[in-house]
Amino acid sequence: QVSIRRSDSGQGEEDEIAVWCRRISSEATMKKEDGDCRMQGCGRQGQQYGFDMTLRKAGIIDCEELYRMQLKCFRELLEKYRDYDFSPGAEKIEKTERRLREQFSDYYFICLGKAHIGALRVIHLETLCILKQIYILPEYQGKGYAQRALRLAEALYPSALRWELDTILQEEKLCHLYEKMGYRQNGRTEEIKENMTLVFYAKDVTV
């Protein structure tokens, strides 16, 4: 699970979102095929049950499911840190809908067979990709699915030369996950509240 940066609620992103929303003529243009599978994996955990892990791109019609899944996945961290200002577990559904309309933002369901076991969101800016969220339903956590999903996501953006993300410094398991995948702290931290600090990671992609 990746925390949302303070900049997510900044005016700059709001302005970009407003411009993008004006370019959308109507929700009818959002086609179901936006949900087609984009990448298929072969994780060993999934194969044990006869399933392959895939990422399925989400569209505006998936807003409610993504939102409910997000609340469920971030509930534990919300209760632990009580960060009601910035935690994804305390957000309103309108924020999910707005992000789904962003031109530079992609949501994906993390699928095991036909089951949606989590989701992730990537902001893509030419050669830079930012992992803004990744979350796995509690009953599927601890099985290596987040790591496999992130590798699938990275493969979807071959032009990216750099990946960035942030997470909670006090959550050692989350930090270990990203460090194991080649991400390194870039020296930036941001204190959200007492005993809760965001730490920022980056990974340069070797061509």
Side-chain angles (χ1 to χ4, degrees), residues 9 11 25 33 97 105 121 124 128 157 183-184 197 205:
S9 57
Q11 186 63 41
S25 57
E33 49 262 40
E97 181 180 355
S105 175
R121 174 179 173 240
H124 48 92
L128 171 66
Y157 301 90
Y183 288 82
R184 297 292 178 260
T197 303
V205 179

Side-chain angles (χ1 to χ4, degrees), residues 69-85:
M69 184 180 293
Q70 173 180 304
L71 294 187
K72 184 175 182 179
C73 291
F74 283 94
R75 184 178 300 138
E76 182 178 350
L77 289 178
L78 177 63
E79 293 175 352
K80 179 177 180 178
Y81 293 101
R82 301 197 174 276
D83 172 31
Y84 296 102
D85 293 326

